[in-house]
Amino acid sequence: MDIHLTPAEFETFLNSLYERDDRLGLRADTTHVLPSETVDAYVLSGHVEALRTEDIDGDLWDALEDLDETAADEDEAWRKIRAFYLDRGCVALHVGDDEYLLTEALARRLNLL
């Protein structure tokens, strides 16, 4: 499954989250969030299965090695990583040219599905 957000929608999405005790949650009107609990793309990256962005190094080669795969270039590496996770029920979140792969459970918990 693919979800597409504009950069502005992605920013709004990130602002709707907080991280507490290494778990992402959705803010509610009554949720008190400390500055250390705010979520940006880097914090989100720690909760996804894999990612490919210009701003954050997702270390494609280590991810590919973890899958016991090889590739000739980064595009092929990403296609193999993406196929692996999508075949296992993950969800692809697209923000412009950036892509984040999340478990379906995380996507549901964060109201992306």
Side-chain angles (χ1 to χ4, degrees):
M1 171 177 284
D2 290 273
I3 300 166
H4 295 269
L5 297 178
T6 66
E9 290 169 331
F10 184 62
E11 194 63 33
T12 298
F13 167 69
L14 292 175
N15 289 332
S16 74
L17 304 176
Y18 67 96
E19 181 187 52
R20 186 173 293 153
D21 300 325
D22 294 325
R23 180 177 166 88
L24 288 179
L26 283 171
R27 294 181 187 212
D29 290 339
T30 59
T31 306
H32 177 70
V33 177
L34 299 172
S36 63
E37 297 174 328
T38 60
V39 174
D40 59 12
Y42 183 77
V43 171
L44 177 66
S45 74
H47 294 272
V48 302
E49 299 303 308
L51 61 107
R52 187 175 190 191
T53 77
E54 289 292 320
D55 298 330
I56 302 169
D57 179 14
D59 206 347
L60 292 178
W61 298 112
D62 282 348
L64 191 65
E65 186 177 313
D66 289 345
L67 304 179
D68 292 325
E69 291 279 355
T70 59
D73 58 34
E74 285 188 5
D75 290 334
E76 181 184 5
W78 181 248
R79 282 192 303 272
K80 288 183 176 186
I81 292 166
R82 188 179 194 284
F84 176 86
Y85 285 106
L86 293 181
D87 286 349
R88 284 155 182 79
C90 285
V91 174
L93 170 61
H94 301 270
V95 181
D97 292 333
D98 295 345
E99 188 171 13
Y100 302 81
L101 302 177
L102 298 79
T103 63
E104 183 178 348
L106 179 60
R108 285 193 188 288
R109 192 163 45 81
L110 301 180
N111 281 347
L112 288 169
L113 295 177

